[in-house]
Amino acid sequence: MEVLIGAADIQRRISEMGKQIARDHPEGTPLLVGVLSGCIFFVADLMRAIPIPHEIDFVSVTSYGRSSESNRSPRLLKDLEREIAGRDVILIEDIVDSGYTLAFLRDTLQARGPRSLRIATLLDKRDRRERDVPLDYVGFVVPDRFLVGYGLDYAERFRHLPYIAAITPDEQEAERAPQSSGAA
Ligand code: IMP
Ligand code: MG
């Protein structure tokens, strides 16, 4: 496993992003919409870096599961708990890969008539993009490798790491093997 972005660099960048978000929302109380579960650390740290009043809600969409391939037709597993018509909404993602998840979420939320809809992502795996989605706040542009840590998982593992690391296909295989051998 190779560490690509250290914990201190993540925090430094998030504090810049928080100030930028505050500058872009001089009026009103933006609603952050975290995309579960990968967003948990990012959204928690970002909230503490945004020096203006804001609120939080969450959505959950179908994920890759065990595979590391993109899901071309994501579905909503958990919807928002509040109305967003007329509100300033900021979608908070851990990483944008193919772009299918965010394109779907953006269309879904846009249809509910928010006053504004922006997107913040900690990581942008730009080389893999298949759907064009405008990103308003990007923490780091990252290479086309499978990343874990700081909320990102591989088959639910490694989320707790305080840094972002890349794992090799061999390491992915080693993670998968003991679990699949016991499956029916
Ligand atoms: P997309 O729909 O292909 O853009 O994928 C977005 C979602 O896939 C992200 O929200 C992550 O949950 C997951 N994902 C994409 N790349 C990675 C990765 O390198 N590590 C872990 N999860 C990833
Ligand atoms: Mg995600």
Side-chain angles (χ1 to χ4, degrees), residues 95-106:
I95 183 165
V96 189
D97 185 358
S98 69
Y100 281 100
T101 304
L102 265 186
F104 161 74
L105 282 174
R106 193 165 169 271

Side-chain angles (χ1 to χ4, degrees), residues 5 14 24 52 77 79 83 89 112 131 146 152 159 163 184:
I5 309 169
I14 289 175
D24 291 349
I52 58 164
L77 292 175
D79 204 340
E83 305 295 324
V89 175
R112 299 178 189 180
R131 290 289 310 270
F146 200 80
L152 295 168
R159 282 195 205 278
Y163 47 78

Side-chain angles (χ1 to χ4, degrees), residues 35-39 61-64 68-72 74 93-103 123 125 128-130 133 142-143 145-149 151-154 159 165:
V35 184
L36 294 169
S37 302
C39 75
V61 290
T62 44
S63 74
Y64 294 5
S68 49
E69 280 310 300
S70 293
N71 180 353
R72 289 191 156 68
E93 256 287 26
D94 48 0
I95 183 165
V96 189
D97 185 358
S98 69
Y100 281 100
T101 304
L102 265 186
L123 307 174
K125 212 191 270 182
R128 297 252 302 179
R129 202 62 35 82
E130 294 176 35
V133 263
V142 290
R145 299 176 65 182
F146 200 80
L147 306 178
V148 295
L152 295 168
D153 71 304
Y154 176 69
R159 282 195 205 278

Side-chain angles (χ1 to χ4, degrees), residues 150-162:
Y150 197 71
L152 295 168
D153 71 304
Y154 176 69
E156 293 301 325
R157 294 214 49 204
F158 310 116
R159 282 195 205 278
H160 63 289
L161 300 174

Side-chain angles (χ1 to χ4, degrees), residues 66 176-184:
R66 288 268 178 91
R176 204 166 7 204
Q179 287 164 355
S180 53
S181 64

